[in-house]
Amino acid sequence: MAGTRALLMLENFIDGKFLPCSSYLDSYDPSTGEVYCRVPNSGKEEIEAAVEAARAAFPGWSSRSPQERSQVLQRLADLLEQSLEELAQAESRDQGKTLTLARTMDIPRSVQNFRFFASSILHHTSECTQMDHLGCLHYTVRTPVGIGVPPGVVNIVFGMGPRVGEALVSHPEVSLISFTGSQPTAERITQLSAPHCKKLSLELGGKNPAIIFEDANLEECVPTTVRSSFANQGEICLCTSRIFVQKSIYSEFLKRFVEATRMWKVGIPSDPSADMGALISKAHLEKVRSYIKKARMEGAQILCGEGVDKLNLPPRNQAGYFMLPTVITDIKDESCCMKEEIFGPVTCVVPFDSEEEVIQRANSVKYGLAATVWSGNVGRVHRVAKKLQSGLVWTNCWLIRELNLPFGGMKSSGVGREGAKDSYEFFTEIKTITIKH
């Protein structure tokens, strides 16, 4: 990376070298709306170079022992940890998120993931069975599909989906694709990869419900649900965007929830007291605002946030992509705000009567990534969690992750799972070998 006229200039990283590109794209600082960086606008040529580098590096890297590869991952974790502040500053500026969040969650979680999988690869075992009557022994081995960290093992190619993305996913020598993003993009990836029968892991977001029963502990439930709705400006695939509250406590919950939401501070990312920063882009900000306009047109009530409360920002940040956390009520389940992923600081709060009713309503969307259930009744918690069509269900908490266990969604929220065992199986091919003696 090199600075030119105060702009950060990114380069592709291919075969262990930073390489310039013939064409570049502007990247904007979400907190100011100003161009701060230029990113390579790569295409087929760069993908070919990256695939060639990966192909050449694969035999040597894949033949390394698990212990050697574990040491490389641990070293990467060390380097990330040593550069935590620099990486947090870069992540905050690029994404618009608060520096506090980047410091305490994004970078530390990256370090944790490297350390977890560095340890995990040392503890996998293979299967073995024998057939004495036929004199045969069967066992399995797993071989890597992807690649890993000397020159050519990791290649980073920047660009837009229609150019560089399509060149990558349709390349015959790219045999596996892991993607996190929107459903329309995933559909295109599936179409392009189908002729090659590629392995796919697709994490496609959600329309995640929170179900709050009348015996919920509101002292814990309200602040946690504010966080689950608005953390990182609502730009987390696991954020809550539909809140179902049992009628007997609906008014009380709503009062407390709106009060707590109004306390959620929107500010410049470097402000240590800010709970929320800026949204990722101007186009996305306009998209999120369009849902609030649609809700108003449908007769819904906006209790706080966009168009209701005033957003105060320093003069330099007036053109940034900020908006206040917004709470919508009096909205029908059929509304686009209750069915489509908004991916912003917007949540809808609606009442319900019975357990059976709320399960049906929670399951009535095409997504099925995550859900939260709030209740003091252990039997109910287990019963409801089992019936919800969600890949993850948190009860009386949110965003507590265990990397050993599967992560992923049902229905249109994706294909496949991540986690110690699931990732190991996805990124390797299993082979059964039979020996007759």
Side-chain angles (χ1 to χ4, degrees):
M1 295 183 284
T4 304
R5 295 180 184 175
L7 286 182
L8 184 67
M9 296 291 288
L10 296 189
E11 295 176 334
N12 291 321
F13 184 72
I14 300 173
D15 201 17
K17 299 182 287 290
F18 287 104
L19 301 174
C21 190
S22 60
S23 174
Y24 284 83
L25 301 162
D26 288 337
S27 181
Y28 294 81
D29 180 338
S31 71
T32 64
E34 299 169 354
V35 175
Y36 88 100
C37 176
R38 305 211 75 213
V39 180
N41 185 19
S42 308
K44 190 174 182 181
E45 182 182 338
E46 288 81 5
I47 290 297
E48 288 291 348
V51 171
E52 176 57 38
R55 186 196 301 119
F58 182 70
W61 175 251
S62 63
S63 65
R64 289 195 183 190
S65 70
Q67 288 75 17
E68 288 177 293
R69 281 178 275 160
S70 176
Q71 288 171 0
V72 171
L73 294 182
Q74 291 285 11
R75 177 62 179 147
L76 277 170
D78 291 341
L79 292 170
L80 284 173
E81 209 160 42
Q82 290 166 20
S83 303
L84 187 148
E85 181 59 26
E86 180 185 358
L87 292 169
Q89 293 272 358
E91 179 69 4
S92 173
R93 190 175 188 192
D94 183 60
Q95 299 290 310
K97 67 177 60 187
T98 64
L99 184 54
T100 300
L101 190 67
R103 277 186 187 135
T104 59
M105 188 172 79
D106 294 62
I107 311 305
R109 276 298 302 273
S110 298
V111 173
Q112 179 191 351
N113 281 16
F114 274 113
R115 295 213 191 283
F116 176 85
F117 285 102
S119 172
S120 178
I121 61 175
L122 300 176
H123 304 293
H124 289 291
T125 58
S126 60
E127 300 168 282
C128 179
T129 63
Q130 59 190 65
M131 297 174 69
D132 290 336
H133 62 293
L134 294 178
C136 288
L137 176 74
H138 308 272
Y139 66 95
T140 62
V141 295
R142 283 194 172 270
T143 54
V145 178
I147 41 128
V149 173
V153 172
V154 171
N155 300 284
I156 302 170
V157 182
F158 295 92
M160 302 293 284
R163 272 170 54 88
V164 74
E166 296 213 354
L168 177 66
V169 301
S170 62
H171 198 290
E173 293 191 55
V174 175
S175 52
L176 175 153
I177 299 163
S178 177
F179 170 76
T180 300
S182 70
Q183 187 188 355
T185 305
E187 290 173 6
R188 183 62 178 155
I189 289 172
T190 304
Q191 292 166 0
L192 292 170
S193 63
H196 306 284
C197 298
K198 298 174 188 275
K199 293 178 76 174
L200 299 178
S201 176
L202 307 173
E203 198 274 274
L204 310 178
K207 193 66 183 170
N208 309 311
I211 299 174
I212 301 166
F213 287 97
E214 59 190 358
D215 61 346
N217 179 348
L218 295 186
E219 293 298 319
E220 293 182 8
C221 172
V222 170
T224 303
T225 306
V226 169
R227 188 168 64 90
S228 74
S229 300
F230 306 123
N232 198 46
Q233 305 75 244
E235 294 172 325
I236 301 175
C237 59
L238 301 165
C239 274
T240 301
S241 55
R242 296 180 296 151
I243 303 173
F244 296 93
V245 186
Q246 201 152 28
K247 270 188 181 173
S248 59
I249 61 164
Y250 179 74
S251 296
E252 177 64 18
F253 173 86
L254 199 57
K255 177 174 171 289
R256 292 198 197 186
F257 186 74
V258 170
E259 286 174 356
T261 298
R262 282 202 161 112
M263 297 293 291
W264 197 258
K265 181 179 178 181
V266 178
I268 61 173
S270 59
D271 181 353
S273 67
D275 299 297
M276 259 175 55
L279 276 72
I280 187 66
S281 70
K282 184 176 182 180
H284 187 57
L285 173 63
E286 290 171 353
K287 175 191 168 187
V288 174
R289 284 174 169 166
S290 75
Y291 277 98
I292 298 169
K293 289 176 185 172
K294 289 175 186 174
R296 278 201 176 96
M297 289 171 63
E298 293 170 352
Q301 299 295 311
I302 315 299
L303 296 189
C304 64
E306 180 70 16
V308 175
D309 301 307
K310 186 174 179 180
L311 177 58
N312 296 308
L313 294 167
R316 183 171 183 264
N317 302 95
Q318 292 292 327
Y321 315 136
F322 296 89
M323 72 172 283
L324 291 165
T326 301
V327 179
I328 302 174
T329 59
D330 296 330
I331 192 162
K332 293 181 170 62
D333 289 4
E334 296 74 31
S335 168
C336 62
C337 294
M338 287 286 283
K339 287 198 168 291
E340 298 174 15
E341 184 180 39
I342 299 175
F343 209 66
V346 180
T347 195
C348 302
V349 187
V350 293
F352 73 90
D353 287 305
S354 68
E355 182 179 310
E356 294 74 20
E357 170 209 337
V358 77
I359 291 170
Q360 184 275 322
R361 292 171 67 189
N363 289 339
S364 68
V365 296
K366 67 179 182 179
Y367 296 105
L369 181 57
T372 56
V373 179
W374 290 87
S375 174
N377 184 318
V378 176
R380 172 189 281 155
V381 160
H382 285 287
R383 200 165 55 239
V384 173
K386 188 175 180 181
K387 291 179 181 178
L388 287 173
Q389 295 169 358
S390 296
L392 303 98
V393 180
W394 284 289
T395 62
N396 302 321
C397 62
W398 179 68
L399 208 60
I400 296 176
R401 288 283 310 281
E402 163 57 83
L403 292 176
N404 278 297
L405 299 180
F407 169 86
M410 299 179 178
K411 303 190 290 188
S412 292
S413 284
V415 174
R417 295 291 187 272
E418 301 168 11
K421 181 173 179 289
D422 298 272
S423 295
Y424 177 64
E425 291 177 352
F426 177 68
F427 288 103
T428 59
E429 287 282 14
I430 193 166
K431 180 186 298 182
T432 299
I433 299 173
T434 298
I435 307 291
K436 192 176 190 319
H437 55 85

